[in-house]
Each structure stands twice: as C-alpha cells, then as structure tokens.
Amino acid sequence: MLAPLVHADGGTLFLVSVTAEDVHIHLGGSFAGCPGAAITRDRMLEPAIKTVLPKARLTVTTGFRVPEGAQKFDVP
C-alpha cells in the first residue's frame, strides 16, 4: 500500500525493523536527503502505521546508504 505511493514520487521504501512499540522505515531514491520526506512521514506513513500499530513510535530515516538488514519493498 505505501511502497507504490513512495515509488510514484521516485522513492524506495525499506523496512528496517518493526516491533509493537517501534517501526523504523528508511526512504531512499529521490527521498534521500529530501526535506519533503518529513511531510511524507507526517501525512502518509505515520497515519498508515498508526492504523495497524496505534502505540508504535515511527522512525523514518533517509539517505543513499540503506541500513543493514533493511528489507526493500518492491513495486510490481
């Protein structure tokens, strides 16, 4: 659901880690270092995550260097 939206803006979505308390997502591609990534986090990613894990804290990182162990969400 989220990966196609990120991909439509030239980005790549990675899931770094997830627990009931914390979700860490990394944005690459055109989101690497983009100040607009904060808007994507606040208006798209966080509301979607909160519907599934209402008490989880969302961490979003950006950059060309993908955190070790991150899982890329491919868009068909």
Side-chain angles (χ1 to χ4, degrees):
M1 169 177 132
L2 296 174
L5 296 173
V6 170
H7 188 274
D9 280 340
T12 309
L13 180 78
F14 296 88
L15 179 63
V16 180
S17 63
V18 62
T19 68
E21 295 85 27
D22 292 295
V23 177
H24 181 178
I25 292 175
H26 181 81
L27 299 173
S30 65
F31 284 91
C34 175
I39 294 169
T40 300
R41 176 195 186 276
D42 294 343
R43 295 191 181 162
M44 186 176 72
L45 299 175
E46 192 164 42
I49 297 298
K50 293 293 184 180
T51 63
V52 180
L53 297 167
K55 296 185 180 185
R57 181 180 64 111
L58 176 62
T59 301
V60 177
T61 55
T62 64
F64 294 105
R65 187 173 179 176
V66 178
E68 188 174 325
Q71 177 184 346
K72 180 180 177 183
F73 281 88
D74 289 318
V75 177

